Amino acid sequence: GDSVTQMEGPVTLSEEAFLTINCTYTATGYPSLFWYVQYPGEGLQLLLKATKADDKGSNKGFEATYRKETTSFHLEKGSVQVSDSAVYFCALSTGGGNKLTFGTGTQLKVEL
Amino acid sequence: DAMVIQNPRYQVTQFGKPVTLSCSQTLNHNVMYWYQQKSSQAPKLLFHYYDKDFNNEADTPDNFQSRRPNTSFCFLDIRSPGLGDAAMYLCATSRDRAVGGSTDTQYFGPGTRLTVL
């Protein structure tokens, strides 16, 4: 079955540091890939998405590139801020179906 | 702004006392989902409505029911809450490709945090 593996957290960074959160997937077919962010006590917000190989999703300084050859969709940001502190979920959807498969989430803490 | 709204944000109920959580949307999306999210875990899909068609996940307990009286509203009913049902409940919506959307992109509400005493 489909699955998503994320690097375990928490990840603690100083402000302005470079961020990478690794995400790899296993899926039948050609999945769409997503990053969602969840701030404390809130629901999930779509951060970015990519629907085919080599697509790059980007939003709010975050980027992720759909790498079919390595089945990866790593999240990156060049300079994190304290306000980026949240839990980040990698997810996939296959075949235009209605089910999202989530990774376990990675908590990011950014300190001054 | 178009959005997904959940009420209440915080709900406290007693063990075994039925509770209903509500979700409304102004996005005019035809698909609505309910997820359960326990602390430090990923959201778990309970069921979804594709238009009026109800789709239950195989491992969703019978204790959980849902109603969708119209396109905009969807309800989650927990018939006899147990301590293990304490969680954040998330509603999400998406729009089918057949009507110009992308089913696989889901938009989430802020969630209702349920406490069972």
Side-chain angles (χ1 to χ4, degrees), chain B residues 61-82:
Chain B
D62 292 341
N63 198 27
F64 292 87
Q65 304 286 319
S66 186
R67 295 169 285 137
R68 188 179 186 187
N70 54 52
T71 300
S72 300
F73 286 86
C74 195
F75 300 98
L76 170 62
D77 301 308
I78 308 176
R79 294 192 297 184
S80 181

Side-chain angles (χ1 to χ4, degrees), chain A residues 31-34 36 38 41-46 49 51 87 89 93-100 102-105, chain B residues 9-10 31 33 35 37 40-43 45 48 50 57 88 90 94 97 102-111:
Chain A
S32 295
L33 302 174
F34 305 85
Y36 282 88
Q38 186 174 33
E42 299 293 327
L44 275 70
Q45 299 177 25
L46 178 65
K49 65 180 279 190
T51 57
V87 179
F89 289 95
S93 177
T94 54
N98 293 322
K99 182 178 289 191
L100 279 175
F102 286 95
T104 53
Chain B
R9 294 293 308 277
Y10 301 91
V31 191
Y33 311 78
Y35 290 84
Q37 186 182 26
S40 302
Q41 296 183 19
L45 181 65
H48 73 273
Y50 193 107
E57 293 300 299
M88 174 79 89
L90 298 168
S94 70
R97 286 195 181 96
S102 173
T103 305
D104 56 12
T105 301
Q106 296 184 20
Y107 298 88
F108 285 78

